[in-house]
Amino acid sequence: MGNPPQIPLLGMDRSELAAFMEGEGEPTYRAQQLLEAVYRQRVDAIERISTLPQQFRLKLVEKGVSIGLPAIEKCFVSQDGTVRYLMALCDGQSVETVWMPEGDGGEAGDGSEAGDGADQGPSWDRAKFDRATICVSSQVGCAVDCQFCLTALLGVQRNLTAGEIVGQVCAVLNDRKVSPPEDRTNLVFMGMGEPFLNYDNFMKAVRLLVAEVGVAESRMTVSTAGIVPRIPDFGQEPVRPKLAISLNASNDTTRTQLMPLNKKWNLQKLMAAAREFPLRNRERITFEYVLLRDVNDAPSNAKEVAELIRGMRAKVNLIALNPGPGIEFGTPTEERVAAFQKILANAGIPAFVRRPRGRDIFAACGQLKRTVQIATAPAP
Ligand code: SAH
């Protein structure tokens, strides 16, 4: 409001920074200095880029150039070590980003949770976790309207820029004082929004995170609700995260009820795209399945899921519904979840039960919704 238009550096890649510096009549090595400062050192203000001459810093500031790092407006810490951040963007909008530390050395990758239950003691209060996962948002709100997800209640406000997507990661790394690749950091694009409805910005962010921030593509996973035409596009990307697909139902009737996008891209189309997806060496597709009590959690549903996935190089992550205000569904019992998992396992499909993270601070899957709105929402 009244401010001069800002030119954020976050989001610019090597060639864009080089062109920018050339336009300023600056030597090309300035582009390298800016890349280092923005993505590796992750400085929060132009004035603090110590590799640049003082005068040049002033010139940039006068032109309205900024780093473009989102500001941490609020942060909530869960008993399990999860931290939920409310990130303020430069236009007054905000998104949420979640930090999930993982304890003691076990096996790598997601889905290794089974067994290391919460009752084995607070591994999360150790001074240093051996790895962590950051859950990143791709849009302000979401347009997909899944009936069990709180973000859906916001509708979609706008896409995030590539700089805002990378910026969430940089802000969290700064706040937690960790730095990849030395500190093992995984990224999951499973926060607010549908990444495949903001495809170009999302992919540009991925390339910056790999090339400049230093997170390996094998440490990233993107989840889509099933924007089918983007699945083959994604498969063609030379650099890409692993793919997860939110299945959430075992037949079209239920899936259309839960996820209205199934009318446009039904299970037949979705599974065809998944089967054709070019997997890399030792890669598997992940199917996520939110279990809703008495809606999609019956043994017969598990058998249908096994049929859908039969013969694929895939695994299933089962998530018991994380409840939220305005969500009409119930969470299944542990026995029901275990029975579902067993049917898949018996059919030869690796299936893992995802432990909810940060439920007490509303940080778990499907609970992300700008905090301010929760606080001010009228009681139902
Ligand atoms: N739009 C993307 C990514 C964000 S949602 C997608 O749909 O995949 C990330 C995961 O959280 C999805 O698998 C989604 O089905 C799941 N999810 C949404 N709401 C949930 C809830 N209330 N409880 C548990 N999981 C939920």
mmCIF file of all heavy atoms in Angstrom, residues 322-348:
data_model
loop_
_atom_site.group_PDB
_atom_site.id
_atom_site.type_symbol
_atom_site.label_atom_id
_atom_site.label_comp_id
_atom_site.label_asym_id
_atom_site.label_seq_id
_atom_site.Cartn_x
_atom_site.Cartn_y
_atom_site.Cartn_z
ATOM 1 N N ASN A 322 -7.155 -36.528 10.221
ATOM 2 C CA ASN A 322 -6.892 -35.532 11.255
ATOM 3 C C ASN A 322 -8.121 -34.645 11.335
ATOM 4 O O ASN A 322 -8.494 -34.029 10.349
ATOM 5 C CB ASN A 322 -5.654 -34.708 10.901
ATOM 6 C CG ASN A 322 -4.397 -35.540 10.947
ATOM 7 O OD1 ASN A 322 -4.124 -36.215 11.935
ATOM 8 N ND2 ASN A 322 -3.635 -35.519 9.863
ATOM 9 N N PRO A 323 -8.746 -34.588 12.489
ATOM 10 C CA PRO A 323 -10.003 -33.852 12.569
ATOM 11 C C PRO A 323 -9.791 -32.339 12.545
ATOM 12 O O PRO A 323 -8.679 -31.858 12.758
ATOM 13 C CB PRO A 323 -10.577 -34.296 13.918
ATOM 14 C CG PRO A 323 -9.415 -34.773 14.713
ATOM 15 C CD PRO A 323 -8.356 -35.219 13.755
ATOM 16 N N GLY A 324 -10.855 -31.628 12.292
ATOM 17 C CA GLY A 324 -10.784 -30.169 12.288
ATOM 18 C C GLY A 324 -12.169 -29.573 12.345
ATOM 19 O O GLY A 324 -13.147 -30.252 12.014
ATOM 20 N N PRO A 325 -12.261 -28.311 12.759
ATOM 21 C CA PRO A 325 -13.577 -27.668 12.849
ATOM 22 C C PRO A 325 -14.220 -27.569 11.463
ATOM 23 O O PRO A 325 -13.564 -27.184 10.503
ATOM 24 C CB PRO A 325 -13.249 -26.272 13.408
ATOM 25 C CG PRO A 325 -11.776 -26.076 13.189
ATOM 26 C CD PRO A 325 -11.162 -27.430 13.161
ATOM 27 N N GLY A 326 -15.459 -27.978 11.359
ATOM 28 C CA GLY A 326 -16.145 -27.901 10.076
ATOM 29 C C GLY A 326 -15.946 -29.140 9.228
ATOM 30 O O GLY A 326 -16.488 -29.240 8.133
ATOM 31 N N ILE A 327 -15.158 -30.114 9.710
ATOM 32 C CA ILE A 327 -14.965 -31.366 8.969
ATOM 33 C C ILE A 327 -15.924 -32.404 9.546
ATOM 34 O O ILE A 327 -15.883 -32.711 10.747
ATOM 35 C CB ILE A 327 -13.491 -31.853 9.084
ATOM 36 C CG1 ILE A 327 -12.538 -30.806 8.496
ATOM 37 C CG2 ILE A 327 -13.303 -33.210 8.418
ATOM 38 C CD1 ILE A 327 -12.725 -30.498 7.038
ATOM 39 N N GLU A 328 -16.784 -32.932 8.694
ATOM 40 C CA GLU A 328 -17.894 -33.768 9.158
ATOM 41 C C GLU A 328 -17.503 -35.229 9.347
ATOM 42 O O GLU A 328 -18.309 -36.015 9.828
ATOM 43 C CB GLU A 328 -19.053 -33.701 8.155
ATOM 44 C CG GLU A 328 -19.577 -32.288 7.905
ATOM 45 C CD GLU A 328 -20.152 -31.668 9.179
ATOM 46 O OE1 GLU A 328 -20.785 -32.414 9.947
ATOM 47 O OE2 GLU A 328 -19.942 -30.454 9.398
ATOM 48 N N PHE A 329 -16.317 -35.604 8.947
ATOM 49 C CA PHE A 329 -15.952 -37.026 8.973
ATOM 50 C C PHE A 329 -15.332 -37.425 10.298
ATOM 51 O O PHE A 329 -14.842 -36.581 11.043
ATOM 52 C CB PHE A 329 -14.985 -37.337 7.831
ATOM 53 C CG PHE A 329 -15.582 -37.085 6.481
ATOM 54 C CD1 PHE A 329 -15.304 -35.904 5.802
ATOM 55 C CD2 PHE A 329 -16.435 -38.005 5.897
ATOM 56 C CE1 PHE A 329 -15.864 -35.653 4.557
ATOM 57 C CE2 PHE A 329 -17.006 -37.766 4.657
ATOM 58 C CZ PHE A 329 -16.713 -36.581 3.983
ATOM 59 N N GLY A 330 -15.321 -38.732 10.554
ATOM 60 C CA GLY A 330 -14.731 -39.252 11.778
ATOM 61 C C GLY A 330 -13.419 -39.978 11.503
ATOM 62 O O GLY A 330 -13.119 -40.358 10.367
ATOM 63 N N THR A 331 -12.634 -40.156 12.573
ATOM 64 C CA THR A 331 -11.358 -40.861 12.470
ATOM 65 C C THR A 331 -11.574 -42.335 12.805
ATOM 66 O O THR A 331 -12.222 -42.641 13.799
ATOM 67 C CB THR A 331 -10.364 -40.241 13.477
ATOM 68 O OG1 THR A 331 -10.268 -38.844 13.195
ATOM 69 C CG2 THR A 331 -8.989 -40.873 13.368
ATOM 70 N N PRO A 332 -11.069 -43.253 12.007
ATOM 71 C CA PRO A 332 -11.274 -44.681 12.302
ATOM 72 C C PRO A 332 -10.474 -45.130 13.519
ATOM 73 O O PRO A 332 -9.504 -44.475 13.903
ATOM 74 C CB PRO A 332 -10.767 -45.388 11.041
ATOM 75 C CG PRO A 332 -9.864 -44.414 10.376
ATOM 76 C CD PRO A 332 -10.316 -43.043 10.773
ATOM 77 N N THR A 333 -10.876 -46.241 14.089
ATOM 78 C CA THR A 333 -10.123 -46.813 15.208
ATOM 79 C C THR A 333 -8.793 -47.379 14.703
ATOM 80 O O THR A 333 -8.653 -47.669 13.515
ATOM 81 C CB THR A 333 -10.897 -47.980 15.859
ATOM 82 O OG1 THR A 333 -11.085 -48.985 14.855
ATOM 83 C CG2 THR A 333 -12.241 -47.526 16.389
ATOM 84 N N GLU A 334 -7.866 -47.563 15.641
ATOM 85 C CA GLU A 334 -6.560 -48.120 15.272
ATOM 86 C C GLU A 334 -6.686 -49.523 14.688
ATOM 87 O O GLU A 334 -5.947 -49.893 13.766
ATOM 88 C CB GLU A 334 -5.656 -48.179 16.508
ATOM 89 C CG GLU A 334 -4.808 -46.940 16.677
ATOM 90 C CD GLU A 334 -3.928 -47.027 17.912
ATOM 91 O OE1 GLU A 334 -3.258 -48.056 18.090
ATOM 92 O OE2 GLU A 334 -3.937 -46.046 18.687
ATOM 93 N N GLU A 335 -7.636 -50.297 15.230
ATOM 94 C CA GLU A 335 -7.814 -51.671 14.740
ATOM 95 C C GLU A 335 -8.236 -51.658 13.271
ATOM 96 O O GLU A 335 -7.781 -52.458 12.469
ATOM 97 C CB GLU A 335 -8.896 -52.410 15.552
ATOM 98 C CG GLU A 335 -8.552 -52.667 17.015
ATOM 99 C CD GLU A 335 -8.613 -51.400 17.865
ATOM 100 O OE1 GLU A 335 -9.561 -50.601 17.685
ATOM 101 O OE2 GLU A 335 -7.704 -51.189 18.703
ATOM 102 N N ARG A 336 -9.117 -50.742 12.962
ATOM 103 C CA ARG A 336 -9.621 -50.630 11.598
ATOM 104 C C ARG A 336 -8.479 -50.253 10.643
ATOM 105 O O ARG A 336 -8.363 -50.800 9.553
ATOM 106 C CB ARG A 336 -10.711 -49.548 11.607
ATOM 107 C CG ARG A 336 -11.542 -49.496 10.386
ATOM 108 C CD ARG A 336 -12.720 -50.469 10.437
ATOM 109 N NE ARG A 336 -13.742 -49.952 9.527
ATOM 110 C CZ ARG A 336 -14.750 -50.654 9.061
ATOM 111 N NH1 ARG A 336 -14.911 -51.912 9.407
ATOM 112 N NH2 ARG A 336 -15.616 -50.104 8.238
ATOM 113 N N VAL A 337 -7.634 -49.342 11.100
ATOM 114 C CA VAL A 337 -6.494 -48.914 10.284
ATOM 115 C C VAL A 337 -5.537 -50.094 10.076
ATOM 116 O O VAL A 337 -5.087 -50.381 8.962
ATOM 117 C CB VAL A 337 -5.745 -47.729 10.940
ATOM 118 C CG1 VAL A 337 -4.499 -47.358 10.148
ATOM 119 C CG2 VAL A 337 -6.677 -46.520 11.080
ATOM 120 N N ALA A 338 -5.285 -50.825 11.165
ATOM 121 C CA ALA A 338 -4.363 -51.960 11.088
ATOM 122 C C ALA A 338 -4.911 -53.044 10.154
ATOM 123 O O ALA A 338 -4.158 -53.661 9.387
ATOM 124 C CB ALA A 338 -4.121 -52.523 12.483
ATOM 125 N N ALA A 339 -6.222 -53.266 10.209
ATOM 126 C CA ALA A 339 -6.830 -54.282 9.352
ATOM 127 C C ALA A 339 -6.695 -53.891 7.872
ATOM 128 O O ALA A 339 -6.409 -54.733 7.012
ATOM 129 C CB ALA A 339 -8.304 -54.451 9.725
ATOM 130 N N PHE A 340 -6.879 -52.614 7.606
ATOM 131 C CA PHE A 340 -6.745 -52.100 6.230
ATOM 132 C C PHE A 340 -5.316 -52.341 5.732
ATOM 133 O O PHE A 340 -5.090 -52.851 4.630
ATOM 134 C CB PHE A 340 -7.073 -50.604 6.229
ATOM 135 C CG PHE A 340 -7.485 -50.044 4.892
ATOM 136 C CD1 PHE A 340 -8.819 -49.838 4.589
ATOM 137 C CD2 PHE A 340 -6.530 -49.692 3.946
ATOM 138 C CE1 PHE A 340 -9.210 -49.299 3.361
ATOM 139 C CE2 PHE A 340 -6.909 -49.158 2.721
ATOM 140 C CZ PHE A 340 -8.251 -48.964 2.420
ATOM 141 N N GLN A 341 -4.379 -52.001 6.587
ATOM 142 C CA GLN A 341 -2.965 -52.156 6.228
ATOM 143 C C GLN A 341 -2.634 -53.625 5.953
ATOM 144 O O GLN A 341 -1.928 -53.942 4.990
ATOM 145 C CB GLN A 341 -2.100 -51.637 7.385
ATOM 146 C CG GLN A 341 -0.606 -51.805 7.154
ATOM 147 C CD GLN A 341 0.200 -51.392 8.386
ATOM 148 O OE1 GLN A 341 -0.320 -51.412 9.510
ATOM 149 N NE2 GLN A 341 1.438 -51.003 8.169
ATOM 150 N N LYS A 342 -3.179 -54.488 6.766
ATOM 151 C CA LYS A 342 -2.869 -55.909 6.644
ATOM 152 C C LYS A 342 -3.371 -56.473 5.317
ATOM 153 O O LYS A 342 -2.686 -57.278 4.675
ATOM 154 C CB LYS A 342 -3.514 -56.653 7.827
ATOM 155 C CG LYS A 342 -3.063 -58.064 7.962
ATOM 156 C CD LYS A 342 -2.977 -58.491 9.422
ATOM 157 C CE LYS A 342 -2.388 -59.894 9.487
ATOM 158 N NZ LYS A 342 -3.341 -60.872 10.018
ATOM 159 N N ILE A 343 -4.551 -56.040 4.906
ATOM 160 C CA ILE A 343 -5.094 -56.539 3.630
ATOM 161 C C ILE A 343 -4.184 -56.130 2.471
ATOM 162 O O ILE A 343 -3.887 -56.925 1.580
ATOM 163 C CB ILE A 343 -6.534 -56.016 3.425
ATOM 164 C CG1 ILE A 343 -7.460 -56.674 4.459
ATOM 165 C CG2 ILE A 343 -7.019 -56.294 1.999
ATOM 166 C CD1 ILE A 343 -8.844 -56.081 4.515
ATOM 167 N N LEU A 344 -3.696 -54.894 2.519
ATOM 168 C CA LEU A 344 -2.779 -54.446 1.466
ATOM 169 C C LEU A 344 -1.480 -55.236 1.511
ATOM 170 O O LEU A 344 -0.979 -55.704 0.473
ATOM 171 C CB LEU A 344 -2.497 -52.943 1.599
ATOM 172 C CG LEU A 344 -3.682 -52.012 1.314
ATOM 173 C CD1 LEU A 344 -3.302 -50.562 1.602
ATOM 174 C CD2 LEU A 344 -4.154 -52.146 -0.130
ATOM 175 N N ALA A 345 -0.952 -55.390 2.712
ATOM 176 C CA ALA A 345 0.315 -56.118 2.859
ATOM 177 C C ALA A 345 0.167 -57.551 2.344
ATOM 178 O O ALA A 345 1.036 -58.056 1.626
ATOM 179 C CB ALA A 345 0.758 -56.099 4.316
ATOM 180 N N ASN A 346 -0.953 -58.190 2.676
ATOM 181 C CA ASN A 346 -1.185 -59.563 2.210
ATOM 182 C C ASN A 346 -1.303 -59.642 0.694
ATOM 183 O O ASN A 346 -1.033 -60.682 0.102
ATOM 184 C CB ASN A 346 -2.448 -60.141 2.854
ATOM 185 C CG ASN A 346 -2.218 -60.454 4.320
ATOM 186 O OD1 ASN A 346 -1.070 -60.532 4.776
ATOM 187 N ND2 ASN A 346 -3.299 -60.610 5.076
ATOM 188 N N ALA A 347 -1.714 -58.535 0.082
ATOM 189 C CA ALA A 347 -1.796 -58.494 -1.380
ATOM 190 C C ALA A 347 -0.445 -58.121 -1.996
ATOM 191 O O ALA A 347 -0.348 -57.887 -3.198
ATOM 192 C CB ALA A 347 -2.882 -57.504 -1.819
ATOM 193 N N GLY A 348 0.583 -58.012 -1.158
ATOM 194 C CA GLY A 348 1.934 -57.725 -1.674
ATOM 195 C C GLY A 348 2.200 -56.246 -1.868
ATOM 196 O O GLY A 348 3.174 -55.865 -2.544
#
